[in-house]
Amino acid sequence: MHLPGSRPAIGCLAALATCLATAPAPAADFYAGKTIDFVIGSDVGGGFDVYARVIARHLARFLPGSPTIVPKNQPGAGSGRAAALLYSVAPKDGSAIAAVFPGAVMGPLLDDRAQALYDPTKFQYLGSADSPTRLCITHGRSKVRSFEDALHQKTIMGASAAGGSTRDYVNMLKRSTGALFELVAGYKGSADILLAMERGEVDGLCGMDWSSLRTQRPAWIRDGTVNILVQTNLEPDAELTRRGVPQVWPFIAGDDDKKAAALIIGQQVFGRPYLAPPGIAAEPLALLRAGFAATLHDKEFRADAERTRIDIDPSSGERVQRLVEELYATPKTIVGRAKELVKP
């Protein structure tokens, strides 16, 4: 037995010190002094921007080294511009991530023109903040107050660029249900379309998330200034059902159209996706996925989300990765019909 301070003990301590000195830097230092560019594929003030910025306020606490998170808006092509930037230009060292519309993930499947820009199955998904229900709405002054009304009278609906849900969902519902929607495109995002509704330029819009409506126009809901025509989702939202808002499925007659619509609406399962570029190394990917999961379950973050009136129903990066791969394995006949439903 060796007493403390004896030469063998000192020798062991010296050897341990040598091992520690030569060991690689632990993950705790990975992001120390670094900056992460958080590219947001939407205009400022819309629902996706609100979600991403709330997450950005908290994410650094759950990444080793507490990096600086810098949100940067890169709107365009229904988040396709941001996705293409992340895919081909952004560094692959964990210093660039993105928030994109789910339509940007589905775009190359449903729109052949997007095929050459990026392959969504090769992104590394970090998670999703919500699985939202999407709506068709009209302003309170509109004569169209229900989806039944929209089947019988012209309804002018505002929309953003091709690939965005506000355009795709109008086209999908017009072709699958016979709704007399007339599309007016070219708005930057949902915030501008809501202003256009207030000015009387358009009757309403489709493809807006229920949580975004509650965030951006809570007074409309409180005062009855908005007509919620229909809820588009795979499973009904309990609150909307209590309000008497029907699901879309009774209005779609054909089985093939129902299957195609289910493929389009299936993207809502990852309604707020966050992703890293393809080729990112295993260590930063694992840290980012763990950081997103911890953020989305954190009490302080949840309290901030509640104050901001955004819903949080998270999915892990691994689950989103599997869902994207499954959607891209959909039979070609169903994909073909879905393409017809959303084409401009």
Side-chain angles (χ1 to χ4, degrees), residues 103-112 114-115 118 120 263-264 324 326-332 335-336 338-339 342:
V105 177
M106 295 292 288
L109 181 64
L110 301 178
D111 184 354
D112 293 333
Q115 195 67 38
Y118 55 89
L263 172 62
I264 297 164
V324 172
E326 289 170 5
L327 288 170
Y328 272 77
T330 300
K332 291 183 178 180
V335 173
K339 286 181 177 181
V342 300

Side-chain angles (χ1 to χ4, degrees), residues 40-293:
I40 304 171
S42 70
D43 204 28
V44 176
F48 276 80
D49 181 64
V50 171
Y51 267 83
R53 289 178 182 275
V54 174
I55 290 172
R57 289 201 291 266
H58 297 268
L59 179 60
R61 293 190 288 117
F62 299 99
L63 293 175
S66 299
T68 300
I69 312 291
V70 182
K72 297 182 176 181
N73 291 83
Q74 183 69 52
S79 284
R81 184 177 298 171
L85 176 70
L86 189 74
Y87 191 84
S88 59
V89 177
K92 298 172 174 43
D93 57 1
S95 64
I97 58 177
V100 300
F101 295 149
V105 177
M106 295 292 288
L109 181 64
L110 301 178
D111 184 354
D112 293 333
R113 294 174 301 175
Q115 195 67 38
L117 299 178
Y118 55 89
D119 180 351
T121 64
K122 293 183 179 179
F123 284 120
Q124 295 298 317
Y125 294 87
L126 307 178
S128 176
D130 193 22
S131 302
T133 285
R134 286 180 170 166
L135 310 173
C136 276
I137 64 173
T138 58
H139 195 273
R141 70 168 65 90
S142 173
K143 294 180 181 179
V144 177
R145 298 179 177 276
S146 68
F147 201 79
E148 288 283 355
D149 290 342
L151 296 175
H152 299 99
Q153 54 186 304
K154 183 174 72 173
T155 312
I156 301 173
M157 306 300 271
S160 58
S165 63
T166 53
R167 176 179 283 200
D168 286 351
Y169 277 54
V170 167
N171 288 330
M172 174 187 73
L173 293 171
K174 180 177 181 178
R175 294 186 175 114
S176 66
T177 71
L180 301 180
F181 289 147
E182 183 174 309
L183 191 67
V184 176
Y187 293 99
K188 288 184 178 181
S190 61
D192 284 350
I193 302 172
L194 293 174
L195 289 173
M197 290 169 62
E198 291 175 329
R199 292 192 295 260
E201 295 174 7
V202 298
D203 285 297
L205 78 161
C206 291
M208 184 177 196
D209 294 341
W210 175 219
S211 58
S212 294
L213 179 63
R214 294 204 308 268
T215 299
Q216 297 180 58
R217 291 296 188 278
W220 283 16
I221 301 168
R222 184 187 66 238
D223 302 336
T225 309
V226 63
N227 305 307
I228 304 177
L229 309 184
V230 72
Q231 51 175 311
T232 59
N233 43 30
L234 300 180
E235 298 294 334
D237 178 273
E239 182 180 355
L240 289 168
T241 300
R242 286 195 300 270
R243 291 173 174 268
V245 180
Q247 276 191 289
V248 69
W249 305 111
F251 299 102
I252 302 177
D255 287 342
D256 287 346
D257 279 359
K258 285 184 177 179
K259 290 177 182 178
L263 172 62
I264 297 164
I265 293 171
Q267 66 188 265
Q268 295 171 202
V269 175
F270 49 89
R272 308 283 178 180
Y274 303 95
L275 48 154
I280 184 175
E283 183 177 12
L285 175 60
L287 295 175
L288 286 166
R289 280 181 169 173
F292 265 88

